[in-house]
Amino acid sequence: MLFVCAGAVGAQTNDAPEVARAKAEVRNLRALVEAGVAPRAQLEKAEEAMADAQDAAILRRTLYGQDLTEGQTDEMMAAASRRFDRRRKALDEAKRLVEAGVAAQLSLGGFLEELDRARKEADLAESRGSLVRELTEMAQAEEALANKLAEEPAEAPRIADRYDGDGIFTTGTLARVEMAF
């Protein structure tokens, strides 16, 4: 009994539940397609759903998570881009159905909403990625400055100018400060 429980725990993966479900669905459909019971198109659709679930898990971990490293930003932006491309492809397919007269024009509403949501998600991923890069650059600049000051402490007074003033800051004072720089 103990070995069975230990084997079950060892067989678990770190996949998100929706990813695990999608993978199981693909495995089952692959077996059915190989047996000739299910159409290949159904397997392709399940594989697309699995890829989307994996990208959603990546975004949940990176875009909507707390900590994000610079290395994860590329993965996050690629996942958001792939999701956007999938939504655009689905909308294009739905438009073809409408043009062929198979589906109503109103059926495009859901596809348009999904595309808009994916676009916003991609924009947010790009924005967060840019922020992470900027923060990384700032941290590197601060570290370089700290190292420089540790090597040359006499350099510290030359980094910034101090202006004490008389407690009142007027436009005349501003003009004098501007002229000094």
Side-chain angles (χ1 to χ4, degrees):
M1 179 72 167
L2 181 61
F3 294 115
V4 172
C5 291
V9 169
Q12 292 179 349
T13 64
N14 291 333
D15 287 339
E18 63 272 9
V19 174
R21 275 192 298 277
K23 284 182 177 181
E25 177 75 16
V26 167
R27 276 193 306 271
N28 292 339
L29 275 172
R30 187 169 284 126
L32 292 173
V33 168
E34 289 171 0
V37 179
R40 180 158 296 283
Q42 193 174 358
L43 175 61
E44 290 169 1
K45 196 176 258 189
E47 287 171 340
E48 190 79 13
M50 180 181 70
D52 197 60
Q54 289 170 330
D55 286 342
I58 289 169
L59 291 175
R60 193 169 19 290
R61 187 180 72 245
T62 56
L63 183 60
Y64 304 115
Q66 291 292 326
D67 297 323
L68 182 64
T69 65
E70 190 175 14
Q72 292 172 321
T73 58
D74 293 333
E75 180 184 26
M76 174 187 64
M77 290 188 296
S81 177
R82 286 189 302 265
R83 284 177 58 95
F84 177 74
D85 290 342
R86 279 189 209 100
R87 299 307 183 273
R88 186 176 36 212
K89 181 181 171 187
L91 177 63
D92 291 343
E93 290 174 14
K95 281 181 179 179
R96 273 187 246 128
L97 291 175
V98 169
E99 290 168 1
V102 177
Q105 182 76 26
L106 289 175
S107 66
L108 296 178
F111 292 102
L112 290 168
E113 289 173 6
E114 286 292 319
L115 181 66
D116 187 50
R117 192 175 4 261
R119 180 180 299 117
K120 288 177 184 176
E121 197 171 55
D123 291 345
L124 183 59
E126 180 67 35
S127 174
R128 184 144 191 227
S130 295
L131 177 64
V132 167
R133 280 191 218 97
E134 288 175 20
L135 290 173
T136 301
E137 290 171 5
M138 288 173 29
Q140 290 169 346
E142 288 176 8
E143 183 179 7
L145 179 62
N147 290 339
K148 181 179 180 182
L149 290 178
E151 292 172 4
E152 300 175 34
E155 188 72 24
R158 286 186 253 156
I159 292 177
D161 289 320
R162 181 181 174 120
Y163 179 76
D164 289 324
D166 60 3
I168 300 172
F169 195 80
T170 64
T171 54
T173 308
L174 176 62
R176 286 194 313 267
V177 171
E178 286 179 337
M179 293 299 289
F181 299 98

